[in-house]
Amino acid sequence: MEIAEKHLDIPKMLDAEDLVYTARPDERAIMTYVSCYYHAFAGAQKAETAANRICKVLAVNQENERLMEEYERLASELLEWIRRTIPWLENRTPEKTMQAMQKKLEDFRDYRRKHKPPKVQEKCQLEINFNTLQTKLRISNRPAFMPSEGKMVSDIAGAWQRLEQAEKGYEEWLLNEIRRLERLEHLAEKFRQKASTHETWAYGKEQILLQKDYESASLTEVRALLRKHEAFESDLAAHQDRVEQIAAIAQELNELDYHDAVNVNDRCQKICDQWDRLGTLTQKRREALERMEKLLETIDQLHLEFAKRAAPFNNWMEGAMEDLQDMFIVHSIEEIQSLITAHEQFKATLPEADGERQSIMAIQNEVEKVIQSYNIRISSSNPYSTVTMDELRTKWDKVKQLVPIRDQSLQEELARQHANERLRRQFAAQANAIGPWIQNKMEEIARSSIQITGALEDQMNQLKQYEHNIINYKNNIDKLEGDHQLIQEALVFDNKHTNYTMEHIRVGWELLLTTIARTINEVETQILTRDAKGITQEQMNEFRASFNHFDRRKNGLMDHEDFRACLISMGYDLGEAEFARIMTLVDPNGQGTVTFQSFIDFMTRETADTDTAEQVIASFRILASDKPYILAEELRRELPPDQAQYCIKRMPAYSGPGSVPGALDYAAFSSALYGESDL
């Protein structure tokens, strides 16, 4: 009662003793107590339920506030990173060197590879957290979360879009700058190369143009100087483009704001100034040379005429000497005859060439006559030609010496080609006879091997006769080998008189020998099979007729399908298992074909009365007096000595019931004879 009064605020209306010691307690008081207890406990349960609800609501609210704070923090950090990064990406301050721009590009690539990917993940996670938070708020009947100003998902997306736009623009700017610097470096290097080339070419040209070497020169020298000057003018005109290119490159470098434009401009100005001076000096020197040229023009014309005619004539003589001494390799009479014809045509041009030589010598004589007549103090050497009269005389004499030598070598080669042609015809005559002979013999042997008339002995005699004829024909092959060796020694590589080569003949001969030997062996095997199995000649002919009928390719072989058709035509009821068993007998190596010998072996095995392992065991049992073993003495007594010794050596010891010392197991031995055990 005291506890209820103290903790539950229930007034004390009875004492415990009143309930225990009173025969009839006050019912109304007890009912009032019970009612008070009921209301007290019922109120406590409601309080507990209310508390649980409040805790749950607060937990959800706390989690939402944590997610809000987390969103605010991540959004702030991401926006701050974007705020710092965008100015860096919008910085378009160009660098002066390719290395510096490549460093910027490398920094940008590091940003792309290392710095941006985590931020992309943070942005994605931020959107996920925001969506999760809004979902939780909506589920818990809370108002939607409104981030701080500027931190909405759309604000972050906008900032991120500005970042990517700046990033794209930055990347394009970097690449454009690198291309610009690359272009600048290329142009600068091109400028340096062209300027260096021009400066090297122009070095010393002014001093040359200032010389007055023509004042003491002869007409020939003046003419040479004038031609040289003309060549220089051509060279000068050709360099006009380079100078213009140098100026254009310098202008482009200035327009592209090249960092070393000052030095480029200085160097370009020096080149242009020097170019103007060279043009002025070139014009003055040309005028002076032309005045001197008119004084010595007569001799100059003669020298020029000599040079024009001497050079081609000299080249003709050098070409003629080269052709007359040229090594030639021919392989037929037609080729050497063509060379002889060309040589005769060359000899026909010699008189005309001699007339040209005399005309050239007359020009030089005229030059010397003019110099002597007018007492001109100049050399008679020709400035336009390096060919001298002594060279022309020497080379002409050399040509006349080489002509008969060439005649002799061509005639010797013609004789050699005639000899080679005789060798070709000799080899071709034999090869054209031997090749068809070998082919005919191959066909005769093939026909003989599939004949179905006559006895096997007659067929063997015929094949032996073929073999004898073939062996006797070997002398023709040996003679052809000798002719072939002569052809090889003569280095003859082709023969239009025959399609046969020695290799073809050798292969055909070896194939013929192999074929006759194999065919004889096949007939011998058929004879042994016939005699061992007791087959008549008529049966052999029937076997051959059946085999030939189903040998569709007529190559002495039946494939599996041909063999199956043959067996079905003979009345065999073949299932797959039975046919597979038969194939293991006739084609044990799995080559996919059945030979005639295998066909005969199968047919004789199927039709003849052959011994079996059981029959041999029964015979041995008779010799052993019905014992399961046999003794060596019994074998020696009942069998010939060599056969008895053969059995004793190969029979295993008997270890079955009733075994005695020296007992031999004839059953295992008999099974092994027919391949029915591993003995």
Side-chain angles (χ1 to χ4, degrees), residues 396-414:
W396 178 254
D397 293 341
K398 182 67 174 177
V399 169
K400 291 193 295 184
Q401 293 174 5
L402 290 174
V403 169
I405 297 174
R406 182 72 169 186
D407 282 331
Q408 182 180 355
S409 63
L410 289 174
Q411 292 302 321
E412 291 174 353
E413 182 61 28
L414 179 62

Side-chain angles (χ1 to χ4, degrees), residues 372-515:
Q372 293 174 1
S373 299
Y374 294 96
N375 196 24
I376 300 174
R377 297 180 180 181
I378 58 173
S379 173
S380 61
S381 61
N382 195 325
Y384 304 123
S385 176
T386 58
V387 180
T388 64
M389 288 304 301
D390 291 338
E391 289 183 50
L392 294 178
R393 294 189 190 96
T394 301
K395 290 178 181 179
W396 178 254
D397 293 341
K398 182 67 174 177
V399 169
K400 291 193 295 184
Q401 293 174 5
L402 290 174
V403 169
I405 297 174
R406 182 72 169 186
D407 282 331
Q408 182 180 355
S409 63
L410 289 174
Q411 292 302 321
E412 291 174 353
E413 182 61 28
L414 179 62
R416 192 176 75 86
Q417 288 302 323
H418 278 296
N420 289 347
E421 184 65 16
R422 286 193 296 273
L423 289 175
R424 288 191 185 95
R425 293 180 181 275
Q426 183 176 338
F427 177 86
Q430 295 187 75
N432 290 336
I434 292 174
W437 185 88
I438 292 175
Q439 183 64 32
N440 291 335
K441 291 301 177 185
M442 291 288 291
E443 294 173 357
E444 290 176 5
I445 294 170
R447 287 195 299 271
S448 174
S449 64
I450 62 174
Q451 287 177 351
I452 60 174
T453 59
L456 291 175
E457 286 77 5
D458 295 339
Q459 189 175 356
M460 173 62 73
N461 292 335
Q462 184 181 11
L463 290 173
K464 289 290 185 180
Q465 185 61 39
Y466 285 156
E467 184 181 33
H468 179 72
N469 294 339
I470 291 170
I471 293 173
N472 290 339
Y473 201 78
K474 180 66 166 57
N475 292 333
N476 296 312
I477 303 297
D478 294 338
K479 187 174 184 304
L480 187 64
E481 286 281 6
D483 291 343
H484 178 65
Q485 183 176 354
L486 292 175
I487 285 178
Q488 287 186 324
E489 291 173 354
L491 300 179
V492 177
F493 302 108
D494 59 346
N495 193 339
K496 65 181 180 180
H497 304 297
T498 181
N499 292 325
Y500 294 101
T501 65
M502 195 63 226
E503 185 62 26
H504 292 155
I505 300 297
R506 290 193 192 104
V507 172
W509 178 253
E510 293 170 359
L511 181 60
L512 178 61
L513 294 177
T514 303
T515 302

